[in-house]
Amino acid sequence: MKHYTLRNTAFAVLAAFAAAGAFAAGSHAGGHGHGDAEAAIGQPGVAAKATRTINVDMTDDMRFTPADIKVKQGETVRFVVKNSGQLKHELVLGTEKELKEHYEAMKKNPEMEHADPNMVTLAAGKSGEIVWQFTKAGKVDFACLQPGHYDAGMKGAVTVASKAAAAK
């Protein structure tokens, strides 16, 4: 009977460690939730409600073109993102703090999967889309979080004009 209880306890401890490890490494999000960050940067948009399309090019020069984007609060934008380089690149929308945390997780786990609506990861020569609604005025950062790319300056910002400022 003792052996059975010890084995169950050991199994429970191993299962807890496995779950914690999966949660920490988890998805590309690095194990942190996006609820608060999404509130700060907006929310996934509905493609049919996109009011305009912004083309963004990513290159092996570790740059986005354009790197400075202006939108209006409440606007839903379709970002058509193209990787013109030979390396894998991505565009991730977030707060500066979240992007830095996410980048550190990517450096430790460079093969993390990408499945969040605020990002697109592209192989060389490929294109993809993000549809995003900017619900809050202020600044929304974006970056490539592939190891080495953020440090090389592959980042930009979306300036979201308040509804009051946009009406002027």
Side-chain angles (χ1 to χ4, degrees):
M1 193 67 139
K2 247 184 189 177
H3 184 270
Y4 180 73
T5 305
L6 181 60
R7 186 177 65 177
N8 283 351
T9 302
F11 179 74
V13 168
L14 285 174
F17 278 127
F23 206 32
S27 68
H28 182 80
H32 57 270
H34 285 281
D36 292 339
E38 271 187 11
I41 67 167
Q43 63 190 18
V46 176
K49 294 184 177 182
T51 56
R52 68 179 162 137
T53 298
I54 297 174
N55 295 303
V56 180
D57 190 41
M58 302 183 294
T59 67
D60 292 346
D61 291 335
M62 303 301 156
R63 296 293 179 259
F64 291 101
T65 304
D68 295 305
I69 298 169
K70 294 183 182 348
V71 302
K72 297 173 190 158
Q73 184 179 5
E75 187 174 9
T76 299
V77 175
R78 176 190 322 272
F79 292 97
V80 176
V81 185
K82 181 178 182 192
N83 181 353
S84 296
Q86 298 300 308
L87 303 171
K88 180 165 71 170
H89 292 294
E90 64 187 4
L91 187 149
V92 183
L93 295 165
T95 64
E96 185 176 16
K97 179 179 185 271
E98 180 187 46
L99 291 173
K100 285 180 178 178
E101 288 172 359
H102 191 154
Y103 181 60
E104 291 304 315
M106 282 295 294
K107 287 196 296 189
K108 293 174 185 165
N109 301 295
E111 296 305 317
M112 277 194 254
E113 293 298 316
H114 306 77
D116 291 333
N118 65 319
M119 63 180 63
V120 63
T121 302
L122 300 167
K126 299 294 182 185
S127 294
E129 292 187 359
I130 297 173
V131 178
W132 199 257
Q133 182 182 22
F134 294 91
T135 57
K136 189 174 178 185
K139 183 176 94 162
V140 175
D141 293 291
F142 60 91
C144 179
L145 302 180
Q146 293 296 310
H149 297 200
Y150 185 85
D151 289 333
M154 197 165 183
K155 46 191 143 183
V158 178
T159 302
V160 184
S162 70
K163 288 181 181 180
K168 291 181 182 179

